[in-house]
Amino acid sequence: MTLAALGRLLILASLLAATTGAVLGFASGAKKSLIGLQWTRRFAYAFAALMVLATLVMERALVTHDFSVSYVAHVGSRAVPLWVTIVSLWSSLEGSILFWGFVLGIFIAAATLLTRIGHEGEMPYAIATWLTCGSFFSFLIAGPANPFLTVSPVPLDGPGPNPLLQNHILMVAHPPMLYLGYVGMTIPFGFATAALFRGRLELTFLRLIRNSLLLSWIFLTLAIMLGGWWAYEVLGWGGYWAWDPVENASLLPWLTATAALHSAIILQRRGVLKGWTITLVQASFLLTVLGTFMTRSGVFNSVHSFTQSAIGPTILVFLAAVLIGTVTLLALRIDSLESDGSIDGAVSREGSFLLNNLLLAILTFTVLIGTLFPLVVEAISGKQMSVGRPYFDSMVVPAGVALLFLLGVGPALPWGRASREEIKRALLPPLIGAAMLTIAGVAFGARNPWTILTLAFGGYAIQVTVSAMWKAGWKARTTRAYVIHLGFAIAIVAIALSSTMRTQTEVTLAKGQTAKTGNYSVTFLGTELRNEPHRMSSVALIAIAKNGKAIKTLEPRMNQYEMMREPIGTPDVYSTIGGDLYISIASLEESRASLLIITTPFVSWIWFSVVLMAIGGAISLIRFRRVAPAVQPALIDKLETLSHTP
Amino acid sequence: MILTLILLIGIAEPPHGTPLQGGELERRTQAIASEIRCPVCQGLSIADSPSEMAVNMKAEVRDLVARGYTQEQIDRHFERSYGQFVLLRPKFRGVNTLVWILPIAALAAGAFLVLLTLRKLTKGALS
Amino acid sequence: MNRTVLIIGTIVTAALVGVLFLGLGHDPSHIDSPLVGNPAPSFALKVAGSNETIALTKFRGKPMVVNFWATWCRPCWEEHPTLTAAAGELGDRVQFLGVVFQDDEAKILDFMRQRGAAYPTVIDERGKTAIAYGVGGVPETFFIDANGIVVAKYDGPLSPEQLQSYLAKVLTP
């Protein structure tokens, strides 16, 4: 049997396993059948195994250059290095959907395995929901985006994957991380849907939702950062975020998931906002489906878009079906979830959680409106328009700064009702931190009012966070969660400084000529041609010196890929803790180079602080399972009895 | 000479601002260019994009700023050839007003909802 | 049944799915030209391979096809024979003009030597004319009637059939 036929067979089998498992799961949930649940689990494992096998078959076809497989003929090439061949699994549409199925399979199998004890009432529905998503992706792979078609006559060689993807090693990390984040949202979605089917949400089950959500949140956080870093290292304009539709698509579920993680905390403590939390979890998943549509329908223009494809309508149908299903289920069951928990005062930790959710919801709405608005206008008036960075900057920056403010004030406020005196005692001391960071920033040269505000709120938040961590001790759960806050505060400050204090100069240098920018001097030494098996590069050799002291030679280059007409520029960066010197080529001749020289302060702090956020998420996740619930057992009992009553 | 310049640049009206030079010229150019979309790029402004098209357009912005044209006039100039597609910050007019108003309206509605929720939830505590 | 959730959910679903559905056929790289129906921006540019300058106004009274292209653009190569053939056939009734975009003169002359030239080509130094015409990539072709009004614009390489149908628009008064 050829690899193409084997792949098709495995995918058809996975479609069968997923649909059977889904139907069986819903049925055994309704009938409360334990044997049915057993079998549903088996189908989940079967789906996962088949998806993994199908992906391995594709990898084998790629590595052995079996050009009779359509996807290999489409993206394979004998000229590219092995690592490019392996990662070209996700370099083009069909392969990326197969990889999606692979990740989904692993997530479903792991989640099924980890929930094998308990929650027998909910689990059939959860697994059935996961397998419904699985069926959809199997269907996509089997039909509209089939990578296993047979090509005849068999070509001798292929064009290789999209050169932008070959251009940087980060491309190995960014897409899989994003898929882990996107696909991972399926798991909390399944749990939340199960809670809706059952019409109740136990606190132990809430923990499953929260942990699985946190896991995908970690991946999504890293993916967004890696995407920004990749854009910075590859695209040559010296920025990391352009409010491109597909970047927005990855931010949207991150925003709602962040909101849900916060509302879950207050739900756990006070028993309020059950329906809202579930809605946020559902929205996070729906936004990942929307993101998939945006990347793969060809409707949006973006660096990330796959070329025009026929699977847009199929994904839209899926999105519409999931939306209708979710809205119906929410409308039917949300009232049975609500419990009459309460909070003691508005100016309290609880109140700040509500504000946090408001801000995140508004941010989500704004980014969504801004991203889709050009489509709306074109549908109404037939005229093209743009909603770009200036719009998002002026809408999102105030909301982001307000969020940072809340990140300082919220955790400083006590839980429950607090007296005026207590509030004053909590809120005043961190003003020292605010003043210190502001003074440091202004001394460094910050003048933009938003940046100064960010420094003040950032300093405030950092002091609140660190002192809360200090007070709670290193083992406390809040300490671990506050690592995320610390990372976020640093990231926002670094973003504010790096975006408002960058300098940009365009210079044209003859061989041997030097240009000065800030403390740096930049000398064009000449060009060099480099041949690699899959590309030819013209490298500009540029000596850089700081305050007259030679540092190193940067090598921004123009890469000419085989079978690609236009060369693709790759910038080169000299990174320090204080800031980066970034050089990209506008045009290059043997004795003359036009360069774009950009200096950006503190840009590498963004990458590190986001990694810190992910670490904070990871350590919160690891310890969750060993820690006793934060609420008093009496309250749990009360809530459970309440939630059992319809 | 002036006539050909006007023909070449295609702005038939006199500048409404004052001519600029030096550092102020660069700052204004950068600010205006960062709100004009580079037509050959993917969502980047002509201030950000290193492409030749963007460099040319930015040079034109610099010319116009140097001669005293205002942002409003320069935007209109590019809009005449590229349509409103070229403006990264949607002008507050016609259906475009929605993209500015809706988030503000949502904020107001959301704030109201939060107040309502807070009242409901704190009342529960008192009773 | 929670009515509020149902109503809000239905609105969100309908709006989102509706917008995306209407967007399905949408090609993000296509931009309508606001120049259509308006006078063609004038220009005076140097002819490739000579020191002469050609101004747009010189051709007033005759329908025109203004083609923006470059030697580094592969689709322009495909389109070149179509334009050359049409110019050979209709040269007396329609004025064809090539405007080269982001290129250098030596390469253009080389290209014209190898692939033939049936009409004048001018060089758009610093891209001013391309900007005035709202060019967002090459090839792009503008069809201008005898009164100097832009009748149509086409992005991408023209097939002979497409060229014929656009020419019909500028030729009929």
Side-chain angles (χ1 to χ4, degrees):
Chain A
M1 193 190 297
T2 62
L3 286 178
L6 180 60
R8 286 198 300 266
L9 190 73
L10 288 168
I11 291 302
L12 285 178
S14 78
L15 179 59
L16 192 68
T19 43
T20 318
V23 172
L24 190 65
F26 284 123
S28 37
K31 296 223 146 129
K32 302 191 165 50
S33 153
L34 281 178
I35 298 175
L37 174 59
Q38 284 302 325
W39 276 98
T40 309
R41 289 203 167 103
R42 283 176 200 143
F43 278 109
Y45 295 132
F47 168 76
L50 289 163
M51 270 298 168
V52 171
L53 281 176
T55 308
L56 288 177
V57 167
M58 179 54 77
E59 278 298 353
R60 179 165 174 82
L62 281 166
V63 171
T64 56
H65 299 295
D66 182 345
F67 293 109
S68 68
V69 177
S70 59
Y71 187 70
V72 182
H74 182 51
V75 302
S77 164
R78 292 183 199 277
V80 302
L82 183 65
W83 71 266
V84 173
T85 300
I86 292 174
V87 304
S88 52
L89 175 64
W90 54 78
S91 71
S92 197
L93 181 89
E94 292 83 1
S96 77
I97 300 276
L98 176 62
F99 184 60
W100 188 294
F102 168 79
V103 176
L104 184 59
I106 289 180
F107 263 111
I108 292 178
T112 309
L113 190 69
L114 290 172
T115 53
R116 64 195 179 281
I117 300 161
H119 304 294
E120 284 79 8
E122 283 88 355
M123 283 320 292
Y125 291 115
I127 300 175
T129 309
W130 300 333
L131 287 178
T132 307
C133 300
S135 320
F136 172 69
F137 280 95
S138 286
F139 169 73
L140 270 187
I141 303 166
N146 195 332
F148 287 113
L149 298 173
T150 306
V151 180
S152 140
V154 179
L156 292 173
D157 203 349
N162 183 340
L164 265 184
L165 306 185
Q166 295 179 48
N167 226 356
H168 202 281
I169 193 86
L170 273 176
M171 232 29 224
V172 181
H174 167 59
M177 201 59 88
L178 189 67
Y179 291 160
L180 286 171
Y182 260 38
V183 181
M185 290 293 175
T186 315
I187 304 302
F189 170 70
F191 285 136
T193 306
L196 286 176
F197 266 109
R198 287 283 280 169
R200 63 175 213 195
L201 176 57
E202 293 170 16
L203 284 187
T204 45
F205 198 65
L206 172 68
R207 205 163 301 138
L208 287 179
I209 297 182
R210 191 171 156 196
N211 285 356
S212 55
L213 189 66
L214 182 56
L215 183 67
S216 349
W217 180 90
I218 295 168
F219 291 131
L220 203 52
T221 307
L222 285 174
I224 292 171
M225 183 275 281
L226 287 172
W229 193 13
W230 172 79
Y232 181 73
E233 296 276 338
V234 169
L235 296 182
W237 60 281
Y240 39 82
W241 191 264
W243 295 105
D244 171 300
V246 174
E247 290 170 352
N248 297 351
S250 68
L251 186 64
L252 289 168
W254 186 89
L255 290 169
T256 49
T258 308
L261 287 170
H262 284 93
S263 72
I265 294 174
I266 173 167
L267 162 52
Q268 204 165 8
R269 283 191 82 110
R270 313 296 310 217
V272 293
L273 301 184
K274 272 195 178 175
W276 173 242
T277 306
I278 294 288
T279 309
L280 284 173
V281 173
Q282 307 297 72
S284 304
F285 173 74
L286 284 162
L287 288 169
T288 64
V289 180
L290 176 69
T292 313
F293 175 82
M294 286 168 68
T295 338
R296 290 174 174 78
S297 64
V299 170
F300 294 88
N301 209 347
S302 156
V303 239
H304 306 69
S305 289
F306 293 91
T307 37
Q308 293 276 9
S309 75
I311 72 165
T314 322
I315 299 179
L316 185 56
V317 169
F318 180 64
L319 177 64
V322 179
L323 257 170
I324 292 170
T326 306
V327 166
T328 314
L329 208 51
L330 273 173
L332 285 173
R333 293 296 161 85
I334 201 164
D335 290 332
S336 60
L337 285 183
E338 282 310 346
S339 51
D340 60 355
S342 67
I343 61 181
D344 302 329
V347 187
S348 63
R349 190 79 67 84
E350 291 89 335
S352 71
F353 272 96
L354 285 182
L355 275 186
N356 151 296
N357 266 241
L358 171 64
L359 281 175
L360 287 168
I362 293 300
L363 269 172
T364 311
F365 182 73
T366 308
V367 174
L368 187 65
I369 286 281
T371 309
L372 297 181
F373 200 70
L375 283 186
V376 178
V377 170
E378 199 171 347
I380 295 174
S381 68
K383 288 201 180 102
Q384 295 89 359
M385 57 98 63
S386 305
V387 178
R389 196 160 137 207
Y391 169 83
F392 289 106
D393 280 353
S394 46
M395 298 302 259
V396 170
V397 167
V401 170
L403 207 57
L404 185 63
F405 173 74
L406 211 55
L407 188 91
V409 171
L413 286 172
W415 288 102
R417 204 199 316 248
S419 70
R420 205 167 264 271
E421 205 42 44
E422 280 173 312
I423 291 175
K424 223 188 253 173
R425 238 195 343 263
L427 294 186
L428 286 182
L431 288 174
I432 301 169
M436 273 165 52
L437 196 63
T438 313
I439 292 168
V442 172
F444 180 73
R447 291 293 176 272
N448 181 299
W450 285 109
T451 308
I452 291 172
L453 210 55
T454 306
L455 287 165
F457 293 166
Y460 193 96
I462 290 170
Q463 182 173 341
V464 168
T465 310
V466 172
S467 61
M469 288 160 91
W470 185 258
K471 256 182 244 157
W474 295 109
K475 280 186 180 159
R477 193 179 63 179
T478 42
T479 300
R480 280 176 266 119
Y482 280 160
V483 173
I484 308 179
H485 277 196
L486 192 61
F488 183 77
I490 298 173
I492 297 295
V493 170
I495 289 170
L497 288 173
S498 68
S499 58
T500 54
M501 294 183 66
R502 73 201 283 262
T503 67
Q504 178 176 340
T505 11
E506 287 133 50
V507 292
T508 301
L509 296 177
K511 206 166 166 171
Q513 216 180 345
T514 302
K516 279 202 169 276
T517 171
N519 297 330
Y520 291 103
S521 57
V522 170
T523 312
F524 175 48
L525 300 177
T527 56
E528 197 177 287
L529 273 183
R530 280 187 206 154
N531 274 311
E532 286 167 80
H534 61 304
R535 65 180 183 193
M536 254 183 40
S537 308
S538 339
V539 182
L541 300 173
I542 293 165
I544 55 168
K546 192 175 188 177
N547 300 323
K549 232 174 82 183
I551 302 171
K552 67 185 281 194
T553 305
L554 286 185
E555 301 182 342
R557 46 165 76 197
M558 300 296 271
N559 294 327
Q560 180 73 58
Y561 287 87
E562 215 171 304
M563 312 201 187
M564 278 287 156
R565 261 196 67 71
E566 289 301 299
I568 289 172
T570 304
D572 202 1
V573 191
Y574 170 65
S575 282
T576 68
I577 301 228
D580 285 12
L581 176 69
Y582 184 104
I583 301 182
S584 76
I585 300 176
S587 71
L588 185 62
E589 289 156 42
E590 220 165 287
S591 55
R592 218 167 58 101
S594 298
L595 304 172
L596 185 66
I597 305 173
I598 299 166
T599 61
T600 323
F602 298 116
V603 65
S604 40
W605 285 67
I606 302 174
W607 328 135
F608 297 132
S609 55
V610 175
V611 171
L612 190 64
M613 290 169 75
I615 292 174
I619 55 180
S620 311
L621 195 60
I622 291 166
R623 298 295 295 265
F624 265 174
R625 302 178 62 199
R626 288 184 224 151
V627 171
V631 272
Q632 308 90 318
L635 182 58
I636 297 189
D637 287 344
K638 188 180 155 214
L639 289 174
E640 305 268 291
T641 36
L642 282 170
S643 50
H644 283 286
T645 48
Chain B
M1 180 62 201
I2 290 166
L3 187 72
T4 33
L5 256 182
I6 286 173
L7 280 179
L8 283 181
I9 301 235
I11 290 198
E13 60 193 36
H16 291 166
T18 44
L20 295 178
Q21 53 186 345
E24 189 53 29
L25 169 64
E26 274 316 301
R27 268 192 296 280
R28 282 304 294 156
T29 304
Q30 192 69 20
I32 294 173
S34 70
E35 302 200 347
I36 292 175
R37 183 173 188 152
C38 160
V40 299
C41 318
Q42 295 183 310
L44 285 186
S45 73
I46 56 172
D48 284 333
S49 166
S51 75
E52 196 173 339
M53 184 88 210
V55 171
N56 287 337
M57 286 174 77
K58 203 173 149 185
E60 190 157 321
V61 172
R62 192 176 291 117
D63 274 4
L64 291 168
V65 175
R67 286 162 50 209
Y69 284 97
T70 60
Q71 173 157 24
E72 190 59 40
Q73 288 180 297
I74 296 172
D75 283 355
R76 226 177 311 133
H77 165 61
F78 283 103
E79 208 186 330
R80 257 195 295 275
S81 11
Y82 286 99
Q84 61 173 346
F85 173 80
V86 82
L87 306 176
L88 285 171
R89 178 194 293 277
K91 293 268 179 229
F92 193 80
R93 65 180 178 215
V95 66
N96 293 0
T97 48
L98 281 180
V99 81
W100 295 101
I101 289 172
L102 282 177
I104 312 279
L107 180 64
F112 179 70
L113 211 68
V114 165
L115 279 180
L116 221 65
T117 315
L118 268 176
R119 263 184 76 167
K120 203 176 83 185
L121 293 178
T122 45
K123 232 183 224 153
L126 295 176
S127 63
Chain C
M1 173 69 79
N2 186 314
R3 249 163 222 263
T4 325
V5 170
L6 189 67
I7 291 169
I8 296 178
T10 310
I11 293 172
V12 170
T13 306
L16 191 62
V17 175
V19 166
L20 296 178
F21 179 76
L22 289 173
L24 266 184
H26 158 88
D27 171 9
S29 60
H30 170 79
I31 304 154
D32 289 327
S33 172
L35 291 179
V36 172
N38 289 313
S42 45
F43 55 81
L45 296 171
K46 193 185 99 61
V47 179
S50 94
N51 284 326
E52 211 188 316
T53 299
I54 291 189
L56 182 77
T57 39
K58 182 179 159 191
F59 304 112
R60 196 54 53 82
K62 202 173 171 189
M64 284 188 76
V65 175
V66 178
N67 174 245
F68 287 85
W69 67 284
T71 58
W72 45 260
C73 134
R74 164 87 26 103
C76 302
W77 300 10
E78 292 162 19
E79 187 186 47
H80 187 73
T82 310
L83 291 169
T84 321
E89 207 178 296
L90 295 161
D92 51 332
R93 292 167 62 205
V94 180
Q95 179 62 46
F96 284 71
L97 184 68
V99 182
V100 190
F101 173 82
Q102 296 172 10
D103 214 330
D104 57 61
E105 191 160 3
K107 283 188 193 152
I108 300 160
L109 294 176
D110 214 40
F111 181 94
M112 299 206 299
R113 246 195 313 280
Q114 282 174 25
R115 291 164 189 261
Y119 50 88
T121 288
V122 294
I123 299 173
D124 182 20
E125 205 71 56
R126 295 185 68 204
K128 294 246 178 218
T129 306
I131 296 170
Y133 276 78
V135 171
V138 273
E140 262 182 39
T141 311
F142 290 82
F143 297 87
I144 302 168
D145 71 9
N147 301 318
I149 304 291
V150 178
V151 174
K153 172 203 171 190
Y154 185 80
D155 307 337
L158 284 156
S159 68
E161 296 73 33
Q162 284 166 325
L163 181 59
Q164 285 311 323
S165 73
Y166 279 111
L167 281 173
K169 283 190 193 169
V170 283
L171 282 171
T172 48

